[in-house]
Amino acid sequence: MAVSPYTCILWDVDGTIADASAGILPRLIQVFAEFGLPEPAPESLSRWIGPPMFESFRDLAGLSEEDAHRAVREYRRLAARDGYAASVRIYPGVAEALRTVKAAGIPQATASSKPENQVFAILEHYALLDDFVIVAGALPDASGLHDGKEAVLRRALHRLADAGVDVSRPVLIGDRLHDIEGAAPLGVPVIFVTWGFGEAGESAGSVAEVATPEELLRILLPHG
């Protein structure tokens, strides 16, 4: 087994492993129209990718909690209709990084605010599922509408521990401030990747910032 500073590695999905933006904007436009909202500007899309969708409909679109719940249900219906892996691409070099970490014997998991069934579908479609010991995301039913990063990360760590993984020195790979904020209460350090949707200043509080999967691997496997 390769020497790593970390006993397990957790990955955010949207903006870190996968770019689903090509499918997100058309679905948002359709949901906005149903609620009589003006069409969202493409340049605002990055604000919607990463945080829980319920919070975005409430805080960014200004919907009431009741309408935000309805908007999420409609958005998820459209995503299921389109196919969860449709219009999704894997960032260059990330699949290779996942395989390298697995080959080094470091257990990996996802910790995504995206519904868990959607994460499964994307990883399975791109033959990445076997790189992970467990997959954790937001719960796919109404109980998962409020699943933020802290809740998902806590679930991922519990599942890893149940699988016999040493979770004493975890690290989260993410691309948004909410990854850092969600990991902080659990004492989990975050490596911030700049190829995702984070904006200037969002990496504050991370232990490192990397621009490529190759740079990331040099931190995860410094003696690999």
Side-chain angles (χ1 to χ4, degrees):
M1 180 179 293
V3 177
S4 173
Y6 307 107
T7 58
C8 60
I9 297 167
L10 301 106
W11 292 77
D12 174 53
V13 175
D14 278 338
T16 303
I17 293 176
D19 178 1
S21 58
I24 291 174
L25 183 59
R27 291 193 286 271
L28 283 179
I29 289 172
Q30 194 165 336
V31 175
F32 271 45
E34 293 188 18
F35 283 85
L37 297 171
E39 185 173 304
E43 58 269 20
S44 72
L45 179 61
S46 65
R47 300 176 65 197
W48 287 79
I49 300 176
M53 192 64 73
F54 170 81
E55 293 180 10
S56 295
F57 277 119
R58 183 192 62 195
D59 301 338
L60 299 181
L63 295 179
S64 67
E65 295 226 349
E66 181 181 354
D67 282 345
H69 280 287
R70 289 174 48 220
V72 171
R73 288 195 294 271
E74 177 60 14
Y75 181 89
R76 289 182 175 180
R77 184 190 70 79
L78 294 173
R81 179 202 66 187
D82 296 341
Y84 297 132
S87 303
V88 174
R89 70 180 183 93
I90 305 300
Y91 287 103
V94 169
E96 292 79 5
L98 290 169
R99 287 194 291 269
T100 299
V101 170
K102 181 188 178 184
I106 312 301
Q108 300 180 101
T110 66
S112 172
S113 298
K114 182 185 284 294
E116 204 166 272
N117 58 325
Q118 297 185 28
V119 176
F120 265 109
I122 291 170
L123 297 180
E124 186 173 40
H125 180 80
Y126 285 101
L128 299 176
L129 204 51
D130 288 344
D131 294 322
F132 298 93
V133 175
I134 63 99
V135 170
L139 298 178
D141 55 16
S143 61
L145 291 177
H146 300 276
D147 267 352
K149 183 63 64 170
E150 181 183 348
V152 172
L153 190 54
R154 192 181 300 275
R155 188 178 303 129
L157 290 169
H158 284 164
R159 290 181 183 175
L160 283 171
D162 287 345
V165 171
D166 179 357
V167 296
S168 63
R169 298 192 312 279
V171 66
L172 174 66
I173 315 302
D175 74 308
R176 300 303 307 267
L177 176 61
H178 87 281
D179 293 314
I180 298 168
E181 292 178 337
L186 303 179
V188 176
V190 177
I191 298 174
F192 191 92
V193 304
T194 61
W195 61 75
F197 295 95
E199 299 175 355
E202 287 196 46
S203 65
S206 65
V207 296
E209 181 178 310
V210 297
T212 67
E214 292 75 23
E215 286 183 43
L216 176 61
L217 282 175
R218 287 196 287 271
I219 296 175
L220 298 179
L221 302 170
H223 306 293

